[in-house]
Amino acid sequence: MAIPKLVIFDCDGVLVDTENLANRRLAEWLTAAGFATTFEYCRKHFSGRSMVSVQQEIEGTTKARLGADFVERWNAGLPDLFSHGVEAIPYVRDFIDKVRASGIAYCVASSARVSKMYITLGQTGLLPLFEHAMFSSTMVSRGKPFPDLFLHAAKTMGCAPADCIVIEDSVAGTEAGIAAGMRVFSYYADPLSDRDGLAAAGGILFDDMRELAGLVPIR
């Protein structure tokens, strides 16, 4: 396996542990809006997705209506939701340090807005490592599972897709990376991770960030 020229990190679930907090609130909001659901369902089906795509799917397939201001209300509530309880994914900082020491370029590409990444990465002390290159689905026309975001990140960073690897934890993100023509390493340490879905999407599975240095040729 060739040494990559760019490592693209997803944010939520890969760098920071936010998925449980976010999906518990999402389940509450969706149920209140008439789409009766559970935390477990949201965790499996909506992790790694932008709120725009979640709203489009629900309103396109059910009678539930989330409101024209749903996305704005969601984003307005994030500072409070993530004001405490957000931690870095165990051992991810060690892997980032190894990537940096090897001289390989890296960035973060998330379905979330950049403003949200500033909150969550800021809470965990990882923000200074990524401020140089932060990409959001708001920068492209189609979010994950489409490849647009990863292709945009690669182009901006000056790397061909085949020279990039993606670190993901969601099925949608894994599908996006594969569709972009990149190698994808899919993290499934969370008990609620869709391991079978990640494998079916084409990800190289791992459940401990300490494994990554052995899986990814960075030296």
Side-chain angles (χ1 to χ4, degrees):
M1 189 181 293
I3 296 175
K5 293 182 179 178
L6 176 65
V7 178
I8 304 176
F9 292 88
D10 174 46
C11 189
D12 298 300
V14 168
L15 296 176
V16 295
D17 186 3
T18 56
E19 293 290 9
N20 288 343
L21 283 172
N23 282 290
R24 289 189 193 285
R25 173 170 288 187
L26 181 59
E28 294 172 358
W29 281 32
L30 295 183
T31 298
F35 180 77
T37 189
T38 63
F39 159 69
E40 290 78 11
Y41 181 90
C42 290
R43 184 71 176 79
K44 180 174 182 178
H45 293 278
F46 297 137
S47 289
R49 300 267 302 276
S50 69
M51 286 301 110
V52 171
S53 72
V54 170
Q55 182 171 16
Q56 289 174 340
E57 177 177 320
I58 290 174
E59 294 188 346
T61 58
T62 76
K63 294 182 179 180
R65 292 295 176 264
L66 307 185
D69 63 343
F70 169 71
V71 174
E72 292 304 320
R73 286 188 293 111
W74 177 266
N75 286 303
L78 293 181
D80 174 65
L81 179 63
F82 297 130
S83 63
H84 55 82
V86 177
E87 298 180 352
I89 295 297
Y91 307 109
V92 73
R93 173 114 193 198
D94 295 338
F95 180 71
I96 297 168
D97 288 342
K98 289 176 180 176
V99 172
R100 297 176 70 207
S102 70
I104 297 173
Y106 68 96
C107 65
V108 59
S110 172
S111 294
R113 294 185 177 191
V114 171
S115 58
K116 177 188 173 185
M117 287 189 271
Y118 265 90
I119 295 169
T120 57
L121 293 174
Q123 282 284 317
T124 57
L126 296 176
L127 181 59
L129 301 178
F130 287 95
E131 279 186 294
H132 71 285
M134 303 171 72
F135 300 97
S136 165
S137 63
T138 60
M139 300 173 179
V140 294
S141 59
R142 303 179 303 175
K144 304 170 187 179
F146 295 99
D148 304 31
L149 176 57
F150 291 138
L151 292 174
H152 171 65
K155 183 177 181 180
T156 303
M157 299 293 286
C159 296
D163 293 326
C164 302
I165 67 165
V166 172
I167 314 299
E168 262 289 350
D169 72 309
S170 71
V171 173
T174 298
E175 291 173 341
I178 295 296
M182 302 175 181
R183 288 170 286 170
V184 182
F185 294 83
S186 301
Y187 181 60
Y188 69 95
D190 191 304
L192 293 174
S193 295
D194 185 0
R195 187 184 188 282
D196 293 340
L198 294 172
I204 300 169
L205 303 185
F206 71 103
D207 64 357
D208 190 317
M209 286 293 172
R210 289 171 292 187
E211 293 179 38
L212 258 185
L215 293 173
V216 179
I218 56 177
R219 290 193 181 277

